[in-house]
């Protein structure tokens, strides 16, 4: 099993930046990729960004946040980061991370999430 703990959320103003962290523990050698997702009240959960756990820094960022958000990892710290710049009120959501164990599998082992609130 893998355990994930997110942190770094908070209340910020539009235009501010936040950096979220997702720390993994447990069977981390089995991880194929880590993804960040968000869910706003009354909306479905949406993919934000994902990165391979091993090898190169192959990453993907959703079109809705491209140019403002970036994802990175530190394998020594077993941590994946989501850098969020130029935040907008519509970025307000609970942000969660999850892992997948192969390219063809879905994401699972969700963390508890961290709240990001952007005021206008």
């Amino acid at each position: 099993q893998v355990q994930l703990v997110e942190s770094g959320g908070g209340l910020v103003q539009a235009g501010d930046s936040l950096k979220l962290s997702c720390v993994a523990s447990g069977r981390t050698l089995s991880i194929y990729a880590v993804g960040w997702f968000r869910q706003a009240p009354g909306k479905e959960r949406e993919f934000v960004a994902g990165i391979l756990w091993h090898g190169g820094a192959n990453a993907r960022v959703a079109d809705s946040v491209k140019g403002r958000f970036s994802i990175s990892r530190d394998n020594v710290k077993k941590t994946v980061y989501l850098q969020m710049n130029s935040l907008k009120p519509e970025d307000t959501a609970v942000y969660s991370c999850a892992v997948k164990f192969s390219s063809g599998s879905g994401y699972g082992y969700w963390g508890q999430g961290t709240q990001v609130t952007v005021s206008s």
Side-chain angles (χ1 to χ4, degrees), residues 2-6 20-25 27-37 47-54 56-61 70-75 78-82 96-103 105-111:
V2 172
Q3 295 79 40
L4 302 173
V5 178
E6 303 95 333
L20 306 183
S21 299
C22 171
V23 180
S25 61
R27 301 183 64 179
T28 59
L29 286 177
S30 300
I31 297 174
Y32 173 78
V34 178
W36 278 101
F37 296 76
F47 172 84
V48 177
I51 189 168
L52 294 180
W53 186 248
H54 300 288
N58 197 349
R60 184 166 68 93
V61 180
S70 62
I71 187 170
S72 62
R73 71 170 194 271
D74 183 330
N75 287 106
K78 297 184 180 180
T79 301
V80 173
Y81 302 100
L82 183 68
S96 303
C97 58
V99 300
K100 60 190 318 186
F101 297 104
S102 69
S103 61
S105 69
Y107 282 95
Y109 294 99
W110 299 89

Side-chain angles (χ1 to χ4, degrees), residues 17 36 46 49 51 63 67 71 76-77 81 83-84 86 91 98:
S17 298
W36 278 101
E46 66 169 329
I51 189 168
D63 289 343
I71 187 170
V76 173
K77 295 182 178 179
Y81 302 100
Q83 177 67 47
M84 306 185 295
S86 302
D91 294 319

